[in-house]
């Protein structure tokens, strides 16, 4: 006696959120049934494993049929095949585009190419996220990347409108797209401690301050694509001017004394700060001046860690120390009368400051 | 008589990529009607083309408008090769031909391809201009409204019910034409879809013509079916009830149509009489005077004049059966009231019926009113089982009448329709009887329409299909149905009824064998709905003339108790105490609104498999017809057992399906069981061992008995069946009054005690004995006990609504589920098969409960199971039903305006009755015994008659009883009652109903069901005739769609399940789109008539045909009165603007 066929179709499409999650997580039908049984759904409701299997199969089929629509969520709202109440549609989309931080951390900054896709099984093994789920998440990244790549206007807004995602999720995807586009290196061992959310925050900072779109309304009319995705080339050029802060000996000494005066007595790590000032300043300014180089853009985060965070950490600066130091370091430059690049400096340091704050933890 | 059809193609969206190179499509559209085709421009390189075409105008006959669908084909333009078809949309423009229905079709339609399914959507505008000044009622029947709904549609009232209309058209199936060998599957499927669309259009037009001839303007309960007869052709047939409907003005509608959510469903039939009927109910006690048994009582309007017992009922007098005397008749209650009946007394064994004395004419020819003929009293099915009878060399006929015993069969009388008609004509006839077939496809009726219900009548016939040679003269098929209908009619007559309600027909085809079945409920109707104009003129007079039957009236037997057509045990009605009721009542209709029900109802199913040998032609047909009576009998036994196990006494919405396969027959009977307050309490089930001496066996029997009793007790609790204390005992062995009273009170105070009491009473007056004599019986009992009750929070029924639940909330979820089981084991026994089949049905139900667990408390209504044997080892069950939520917190009694007040006044009046009676019994002690004595005599004589008629029980098909078939003890009749107990029981049950339940559950459901506004109109679908919490303000027309889907990549589509899943979803989508385009937001009376699946996994192929129908409506939330008028205005403006 084999069940040859077993379907259940509701006029309003019935979807169980729990099963949906299992499906998204890449469980096979049998695993899902097992998981549901362990979840105790049978205890709540007197039913047999057969019933559970039949239900799970139905739901899986429904999700598979819906998947095509979920690839372009706007279609879900005006397709006719499934009658799904709007709030359920929102849930379906949001969950479908949700991702695992552990997974995204692995592919962050990598090229969203077939090559990367081939490595997904390694990532799956490493993160414990099922391969199926990895593929879905990877494909989501790629799909969103492809769509927004060709769109003008603010990145987050584009993602939100085209994929009907929540603000939070749209921002995360913006970060992923931004990282993938600029190919930031995030995989080095030294960067392992930085979470996706840290990076997402940094990406937000970069998008909001260093891209073309960030500068102002006027530039929106420029026929530039990817205003939010690419860094502002002009700005990167201007950053070269900051070099004067480390090449001009007077300026460097003046800057140091100003910072030290302000810091004296305010922190236990004062001595280390004084001793390391030139090193640290050189590090930060060098990062700035090299950003015209695509290769160096990729190493932006690793440079931050190597040139600034690691030295501070080895000197046991607290987060408060870092904050204090950077604040004064930034502000003191304004008092330097021979330093003319205040605007560029602020635009640069504002981002550096907040990125370092975010990244400065264990 | 032409009309102008105009169509405009606006835009497309989500088109599939047709050009791989560019990932785009160059789409254009062909619009075809009849032989005229228009084309739009090509919209290059777009998946969301904007055509914005001109209005394409077709000038056509309205006959064509009715028959033809508008055919829209979307194609991909290809410069060098042939254009590729993307898909098609067929639009039935019938709704536009009715002034009262839709005025424009406008919306997005899924573009459907029979191979690829839905491929994008297209936005279309369609309008029709009919030239009204011409005589357009020649060949066409524009303007006749069609409703699938099997009751008078909301916001309409029936001015007149004309009666049965039927038609069938046949054609060659394109799938079997020679050309099919050379054309693509797509072309073949499309040819078939188009043909069926044409045929159903033609059918509808022809039925419309018949309705116009009868003077009606609408068809209600329109039921259209397809018979895919394979080689021999394609039959599309339809039946319906012709009516003259009149629309309420919106103002009056809002007043006179209480909605189901606040009123019991059929109350909401919106008859304008509603209020008046209520008045009747209250007036009745006054007009009838003090209701003691010795006083003159008005009999119900259709009750015949009393006959003196000695007067033999001649055939002529039988006509007075339907004679309507509106004056109350006075009768001595103890004198036996006679009603002439027509009884079938085959003078010779039925089998010889081939040439002359046809059973069909039998009843007319030899009505022996009270003749006590000692015909063979052998078990009817044994005499009948061999009654296979060959007519012609090709057509083999075996008609099966569901006898009282569930197993009659006999030759059919199709060819003899002529003589029968002449005979009928000789009779003095009422309006009803002048009709060839006094059948009604309705299942619920305006109050007062249904006077008495006799029982289920049904007939089956096995035919061998042959090629239909001349499609224009579908005589054979017509004759076949004619035959069956005659059969049904004669059964109804045998039950003393002049009409059949809840009538339906269906077929089951396997290769060249076809089982035709028809069933309905024999009934006596109030003729005022049948008489021209009387409703308008006489509505006020009727109030006084025509004593409305009490709310138990429909339970009263329509036949003469001395000449019962089958053995049954009668008792005085437990509500009015005036008339006799049967102990069990089976019907195919919905529970009448006025019926008083104790407790809740539940779904009762009987399932049965019978193996048969594979055979061809006549041998096969003979084998099938030999099996049929046994199946009917067993199904009936199962139903009866299950009914008793649930302590219920009536079945509503009974639907029995027998499906034929190559090597087996499947039988499935579904119904809603209830406890009708008017009917006596059912006896329990007693188990008897065959060998009494065996100690082991006796223990075994006792154990089973205990299980059965426990099950009954549990069910009583579950379904809240707390019937009024039974007083039957008082007759045979008089129980002192005081004791009885004390018992009553005790039962109220201690519920646990009550149960044991009730149990005892089973033991005492068991009418039903199951004998365990072989393994079969043990199996039966086990299967009896395996039916699991629905889990907490769930109810299920096969009728429109659940008796006992009245406070529906607006949450609904319609679903279709199909399951196919492959029987791998080739040497299965009947028992094994039964078990598999039963489990299949039970598991399906369990699945539903599980899937819908988040919607509790809810009721699965209109559970409609369809079984089929698509291939040798496959069993297919398809179910369409709706889960409806209800509010447990509210008082579950019927709404006050109907039952509570009425019931209250009733109780008051009736209270006098038991008081008098008990006074009688206590003061004059001999009197009760005298009464009971006489009563007993009456019953005894009845029994004597029934034994005599046992032999023809098979001829008169009713489901009313089967008590005698296995074993039984005599049940004592009673004329005594205690009304007080009943009213007390009522109050107790109402208290229980009130028990508050956690609020959160129902609320969570409400929130989950609150649909927001999407870009696509939400279209609700339901198999019921109403939507809880809403009011239907407009019927937009009938939806009748037929789709074929085929795949040659079955595996890639997820196997058969994946294939069918998406197909069903697509069908839903297309129905919703059509409804939305008509301006509607819901489909009521939705049903999936056919779901034929053929698969060939080895070839990676599958094909499926689905036929669905329903009524497109606009409904508004009941609370939004303003919105109602707004919507109305909007409709108006649309009309004006376009």
């Amino acid at each position: 006696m084999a069940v040859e066929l077993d379907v259940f179709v509701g006029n309003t499409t019935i979807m169980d959120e729990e099963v949906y999650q299992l499906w998204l997580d890449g469980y096979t039908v049998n695993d899902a049934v097992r998981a549901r049984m362990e979840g105790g759904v049978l205890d709540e409701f007197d039913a047999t494993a057969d019933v559970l299997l039949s239900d799970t199969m139905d739901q899986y089929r429904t999700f598979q049929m819906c998947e095509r629509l979920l690839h372009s969520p706007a279609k879900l709202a005006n397709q006719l095949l499934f009658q799904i109440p709007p709030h359920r549609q929102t849930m379906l989309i949001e969950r479908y585009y949700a991702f695992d931080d552990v997974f995204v951390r692995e592919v962050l900054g990598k090229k969203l190419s077939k090559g990367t896709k081939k490595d997904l099984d390694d990532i799956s093994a490493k993160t414990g996220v099922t391969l199926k789920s990895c593929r879905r998440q990877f494909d989501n990244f790629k799909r969103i990347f492809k769509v927004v790549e060709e769109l003008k206007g603010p990145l987050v807004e584009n993602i939100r409108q085209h994929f009907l995602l929540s603000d939070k999720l749209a921002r995360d995807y913006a970060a992923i797209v931004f990282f993938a586009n600029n190919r930031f290196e995030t995989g080095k061992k030294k960067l392992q401690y930085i979470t996706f959310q840290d990076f997402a925050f940094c990406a937000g900072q970069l998008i909001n301050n260093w891209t073309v779109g960030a500068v102002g309304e006027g530039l929106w009319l420029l026929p530039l694509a990817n205003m939010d995705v690419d860094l502002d080339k002009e700005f990167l050029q201007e950053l070269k001017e900051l070099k004067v802060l480390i090449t001009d000996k007077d300026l460097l000494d003046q800057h140091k004394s100003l910072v030290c005066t302000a810091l004296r007595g305010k922190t236990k790590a004062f001595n280390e700060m004084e001793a390391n000032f030139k090193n640290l300043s050189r590090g930060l300014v060098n990062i700035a001046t090299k950003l015209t180089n695509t290769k160096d853009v990729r190493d932006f985060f690793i440079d931050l860690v190597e040139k600034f965070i690691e030295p501070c950490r080895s000197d046991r600066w607290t987060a408060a120390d870092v904050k204090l130091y950077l604040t004064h370091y930034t502000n003191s430059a304004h008092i330097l009368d021979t330093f003319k690049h205040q605007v560029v400096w602020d635009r640069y340091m504002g981002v550096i400051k907040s990125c370092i704050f975010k990244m400065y933890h264990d | 008589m032409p009309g102008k059809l105009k169509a405009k193609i606006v835009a497309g969206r989500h088109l599939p990529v047709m050009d791989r190179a560019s990932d785009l499509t160059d789409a254009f559209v062909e619009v075809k009607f009849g032989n005229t085709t228009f084309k739009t421009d090509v919209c290059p390189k777009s998946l969301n083309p904007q055509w914005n075409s001109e209005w394409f105008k077709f000038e056509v006959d309205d006959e064509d408008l009715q028959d033809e669908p508008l055919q829209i084909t979307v194609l991909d333009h290809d410069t060098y090769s042939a254009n590729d078809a993307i898909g098609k949309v067929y639009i039935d423009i019938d709704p536009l031909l009715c002034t009262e229905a839709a005025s424009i079709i406008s919306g997005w339609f899924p573009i459907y391809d029979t191979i690829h399914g839905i491929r994008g959507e297209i936005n279309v505008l369609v309008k029709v201009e009919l030239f009204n000044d011409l005589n357009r009622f020649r060949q066409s029947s524009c303007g006749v409204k069609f409703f699938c709904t099997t009751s008078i549609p909301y916001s309409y009232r029936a001015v007149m019910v004309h009666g049965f209309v039927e038609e069938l058209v046949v054609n060659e199936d394109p799938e079997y034409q020679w050309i099919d060998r050379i054309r693509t599957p797509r072309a073949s499927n499309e040819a078939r879809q188009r043909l069926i669309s044409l045929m159903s259009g033609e059918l509808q037009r022809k039925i419309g013509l018949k309705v116009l001839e009868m003077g009606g303007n609408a068809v209600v309960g329109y039921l259209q079916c397809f018979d895919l007869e394979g080689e021999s052709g394609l039959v599309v047939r339809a039946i319906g009830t012709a009516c003259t409907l009149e629309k309420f003005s919106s103002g009056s509608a809002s007043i006179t149509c209480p909605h189901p959510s606040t009123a019991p469903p059929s109350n909401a039939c919106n008859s304008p009489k509603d209020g008046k009927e209520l008045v009747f109910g209250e007036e009745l006690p006054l007009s009838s005077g003090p209701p003691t048994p010795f006083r003159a009582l008005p009999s119900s309007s259709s009750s015949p004049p009393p006959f003196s017992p000695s007067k033999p009922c001649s055939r002529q007098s039988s006509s007075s059966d339907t004679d309507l005397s509106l004056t109350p008749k006075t009768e001595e209650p103890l004198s036996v009231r006679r009603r002439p009946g027509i009884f079938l007394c085959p003078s010779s064994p039925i089998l010889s019926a081939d040439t002359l004395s046809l059973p069909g004419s039998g009843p007319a020819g030899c009505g022996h009113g009270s003749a006590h003929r000692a015909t063979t009293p052998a078990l009817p099915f044994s005499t009948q089982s061999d009654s296979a009878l060959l007519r012609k060399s090709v057509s083999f006929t075996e008609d099966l009448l569901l006898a009282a015993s569930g197993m009659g069969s006999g030759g059919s009388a199709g060819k003899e329709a002529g003589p029968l008609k002449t005979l009928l004509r000789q009779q003095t006839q009422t309006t009803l009887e002048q009709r060839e077939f006094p059948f009604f496809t309705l299942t619920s009726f305006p109050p007062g329409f249904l006077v008495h219900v006799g029982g289920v009548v049904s007939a089956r016939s096995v035919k061998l299909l042959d090629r239909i040679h001349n499609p224009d003269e579908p005589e054979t098929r017509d004759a076949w149905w004619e035959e069956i209908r005659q059969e049904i009619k004669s059964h109804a007559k045998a039950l003393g009824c002049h009409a059949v309600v809840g009538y339906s027909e269906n077929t089951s085809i396997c290769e060249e064998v076809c089982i035709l079945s028809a069933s309905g409920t024999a009934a006596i109707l109030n003729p005022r709905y049948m008489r021209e104009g009387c409703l308008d003129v006489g509505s006020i007079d009727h109030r006084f003339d025509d004593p409305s039957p009490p709310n138990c009236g429909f339970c009263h037997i329509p036949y003469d108790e001395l000449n019962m057509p089958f053995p049954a045990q009668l008792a005085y009605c437990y509500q009015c105490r005036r008339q006799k009721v049967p102990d069990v009542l089976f019907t195919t209709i919905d529970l009448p609104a006025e019926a008083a029900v104790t407790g809740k109802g539940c779904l009762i199913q009987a399932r049965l498999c019978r193996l048969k040998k594979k055979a061809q032609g006549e041998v096969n047909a003979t084998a099938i017809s030999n099996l049929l009576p046994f199946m009917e009998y067993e199904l009936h036994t199962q139903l009866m057992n299950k009914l008793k196990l649930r302590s219920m006494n009536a079945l509503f919405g009974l639907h029995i399906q027998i499906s034929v396969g190559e090597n087996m027959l499947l039988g499935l009977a579904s119904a809603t069981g209830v406890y009708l307050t008017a009917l006596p309490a059912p006896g329990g089930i007693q188990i008897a061992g065959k060998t009494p001496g065996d100690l082991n066996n006796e223990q075994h029997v006792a154990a089973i008995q205990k299980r059965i009793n426990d099950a009954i007790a549990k069910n009583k609790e579950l379904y809240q069946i707390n019937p009024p204390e039974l007083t039957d005992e008082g007759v045979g062995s008089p129980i002192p009054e005081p004791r009885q009273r004390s018992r009553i009170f005790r039962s109220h105070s201690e519920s646990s005690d009550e149960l044991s009491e009730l149990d005892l009473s089973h033991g005492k007056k068991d009418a039903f004995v199951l004998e365990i004599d072989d393994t079969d019986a043990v199996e039966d009992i086990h299967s009896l006990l395996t039916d699991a009750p629905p889990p907490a929070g769930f109810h299920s029924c096969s009728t429109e609504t659940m008796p006992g639940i009245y406070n529906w909330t607006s949450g609904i979820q319609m679903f279709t589920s199909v399951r196919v089981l492959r029987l791998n084991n080739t040497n299965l026994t009947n028992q094994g098969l039964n078990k598999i089949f039963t489990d299949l049905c039970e598991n399906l139900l369990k699945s539903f409960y599980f899937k819908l667990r988040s919607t509790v408390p809810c009721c699965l209504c209109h559970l409609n199971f369809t079984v089929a044997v698509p291939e040798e080892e496959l069993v297919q069950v398809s179910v369409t039903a709706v889960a409806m939520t209800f509010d447990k917190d509210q008082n579950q009694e019927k709404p006050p305006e109907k039952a509570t007040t009425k019931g209250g006044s009733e109780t008051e009046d009736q209270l006098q009755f038991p008081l008098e009676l008990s006074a009688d019994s206590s003061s004059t002690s001999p009197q009760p015994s005298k009464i009971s004595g006489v009563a007993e005599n009456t019953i005894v004589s009845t029994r004597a008659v029934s034994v005599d008629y046992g032999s023809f029980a098979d001829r008169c098909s009713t489901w009313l009883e089967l008590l005698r078939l296995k074993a039984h003890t005599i049940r004592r009749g009673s004329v005594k009652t205690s009304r007080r107990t009943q009213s007390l029981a009522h109050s107790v049950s109402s208290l229980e109903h009130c028990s508050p339940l956690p609020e959160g559950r129902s609320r969570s459901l409400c929130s989950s069901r609150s649909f927001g506004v999407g870009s696509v109109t939400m279209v609700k679908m339901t198999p019921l005739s109403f939507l809880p919490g809403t009011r239907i303000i407009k019927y937009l027309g009938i939806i009748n769609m037929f789709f074929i889907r085929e795949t040659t990549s079955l595996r890639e589509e997820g196997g058969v399940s994946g294939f069918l899943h998406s197909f069903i979803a697509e069908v839903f989508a297309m129905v919703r789109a059509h409804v939305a385009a008509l301006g509607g937001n819901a489909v009521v009376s939705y049903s999936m008539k056919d779901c034929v699946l053929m698969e060939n996994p080895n070839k990676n192929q599958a094909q499926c045909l689905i036929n669905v129908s329903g009524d497109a409506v606009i409904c508004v939330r009941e609370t939004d009165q303003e919105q109602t008028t707004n919507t109305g205005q909007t409709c108006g403006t649309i009309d004006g603007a376009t």
Side-chain angles (χ1 to χ4, degrees), chain A residues 116-134:
Chain A
T116 316
K117 198 169 180 182
K118 274 178 195 150
D119 299 337
L120 286 181
D121 39 359
D122 294 339
I123 296 174
S124 166
K126 189 177 166 192
T127 57
V129 177
T130 59
L131 183 59
K132 216 180 146 221
S133 178
C134 287

Side-chain angles (χ1 to χ4, degrees), chain B residues 839-853:
Chain B
D839 287 349
L840 174 60
C841 295
E842 282 287 306
N843 288 339
L844 259 177
L845 284 170
K846 278 182 195 157
S847 267
F848 301 158
Y849 298 139
F850 180 76
K851 277 188 191 290
L852 299 162
R853 65 193 182 285

Side-chain angles (χ1 to χ4, degrees), chain B residues 697-708:
Chain B
N697 196 20
E698 276 190 2
Q699 275 174 348
H700 181 61
V701 167
I704 294 179
Q705 180 72 59
K706 186 170 180 318
R707 277 179 66 198
I708 296 258

Side-chain angles (χ1 to χ4, degrees), chain B residues 705-767:
Chain B
Q705 180 72 59
K706 186 170 180 318
R707 277 179 66 198
I708 296 258
N709 289 348
D710 289 350
I712 291 177
K714 233 174 81 190
N715 281 331
K716 276 197 173 180
E717 205 167 6
L718 184 65
Y719 302 115
Q720 298 165 353
I721 296 173
N722 307 303
E725 263 321 301
L726 307 161
T727 50
D728 283 2
E729 296 95 326
V731 186
S733 52
I735 298 169
E737 196 62 27
R739 201 192 127 191
Q740 204 174 2
R741 245 192 216 153
S742 68
R743 235 179 79 183
I744 293 155
F745 287 122
R746 191 148 41 92
S747 68
H748 288 301
S749 51
E750 305 159 60
S751 58
S752 60
D753 219 322
E754 184 187 1
L755 281 177
S756 59
E757 284 278 354
L758 292 172
D759 259 62
L760 264 176
S761 73
H762 289 313
K764 263 189 256 165
K765 46 178 279 296
D766 250 340

Side-chain angles (χ1 to χ4, degrees), chain B residues 159-210:
Chain B
V159 176
M160 190 155 131
V161 181
H162 301 277
F164 191 62
V165 278
E166 49 78 31
E167 186 62 79
L168 67 79
V169 291
V170 300
N171 211 316
E172 257 186 299
D173 192 337
E175 187 103 339
Y176 293 88
Q177 285 165 348
W178 68 268
I179 194 171
D180 208 61
R181 290 162 206 258
I182 54 165
R183 65 181 163 193
T184 62
R186 175 181 285 120
S188 160
N189 291 339
E190 282 172 0
R192 237 171 150 192
Q193 281 192 170
R194 196 183 128 72
L195 176 70
I196 288 186
S197 183
L198 271 172
M199 284 169 78
S200 50
E202 184 191 341
L203 191 70
Q204 221 167 306
R205 174 173 58 81
K206 285 187 170 170
I207 291 233
L209 279 172
K210 288 194 175 179

Side-chain angles (χ1 to χ4, degrees), chain A residues 167-185:
Chain A
D167 194 53
K168 168 80 178 66
L169 206 51
R171 281 178 196 286
D172 284 351
Y173 270 102
I176 293 165
V177 168
F178 187 71
F179 267 70
N181 187 54
N182 292 290
R183 309 275 303 282
F184 288 110
E185 176 60 67

